Amino acid sequence: TLSSSSAASDVYKRQEQAGVGARVRALPGGLGARVGSSTFSEGERQLLSLARGLVGSPRLLLADEPTACVDLHADERVHNVLLGLDATVLMICHRLQHVCRFDEVLLMHAGEIVERGTPEQLLRAPASRLGALCARAGLDADALLLAAARRD
């Protein structure tokens, strides 16, 4: 519950991290506002779900397509938040521009793991399915690796 000020403080902090804090504060009643399905856009609902998942500082977080309904700016923010956590994050994603920021990649096809390794190992392998997916998406593997190296 939000009866304690520390719990409410954590909720507000997580909403800010997810990028929806100002939107929630603007509602009549703020955090206690009654909302309906049309109060937030689909992308905002996805960001609210992210914020909810972050409350309590989880040690393990499973994120299934956490950026599917958000724009590219919010996509960057979500990845920064999730990959900056002091937690194990398992993320299912189809957008590949952040693939090099992960420690390990498991590529699945028809419910089976078909490739597994570090992004660098997979992108440098000549017959890599990940490399082929990136190429099909118009992403240059070398540019992805260079961008990831600059972040580190």
Side-chain angles (χ1 to χ4, degrees):
T1 67
L2 293 177
S3 56
S4 76
S5 63
S6 64
S9 175
D10 192 28
V11 169
Y12 285 120
K13 174 184 172 186
R14 300 313 182 169
Q15 288 175 346
E16 290 299 325
Q17 278 184 302
V20 290
R23 180 78 170 87
V24 172
R25 284 191 310 276
L27 293 172
L31 197 54
R34 286 190 167 275
V35 297
S37 61
S38 63
T39 305
F40 296 102
S41 70
E42 192 172 1
E44 288 171 327
R45 287 194 303 269
Q46 193 165 25
L47 295 173
L48 284 166
S49 293
L50 169 64
R52 189 176 345 159
L54 297 174
V55 171
S57 301
R59 304 277 300 140
L60 172 68
L61 187 67
L62 174 61
D64 185 359
E65 290 288 345
T67 63
C69 298
V70 299
D71 62 27
L72 292 179
H73 175 73
D75 178 276
E76 179 77 21
R77 169 182 233 133
V78 169
H79 278 84
N80 289 342
V81 169
L82 291 176
L83 296 173
L85 293 174
D86 183 22
T88 299
V89 177
L90 302 173
M91 190 179 313
I92 299 164
C93 54
H94 290 89
R95 290 184 184 170
L96 298 173
Q97 68 268 26
H98 298 286
V99 70
C100 288
R101 296 177 64 189
F102 293 90
D103 295 329
E104 185 171 12
V105 173
L106 281 77
L107 187 74
M108 300 191 66
H109 180 74
E112 301 287 328
I113 297 172
V114 295
E115 279 188 352
R116 180 179 182 173
T118 67
E120 184 172 7
Q121 290 169 333
L122 297 180
L123 290 173
R124 297 233 185 266
S128 168
R129 287 183 178 202
L130 179 63
L133 286 172
C134 286
R136 248 182 282 157
L139 300 171
D140 177 78
D142 290 329
L144 290 173
L145 291 167
L146 184 59
R150 286 184 184 146
R151 279 188 193 277
D152 295 340

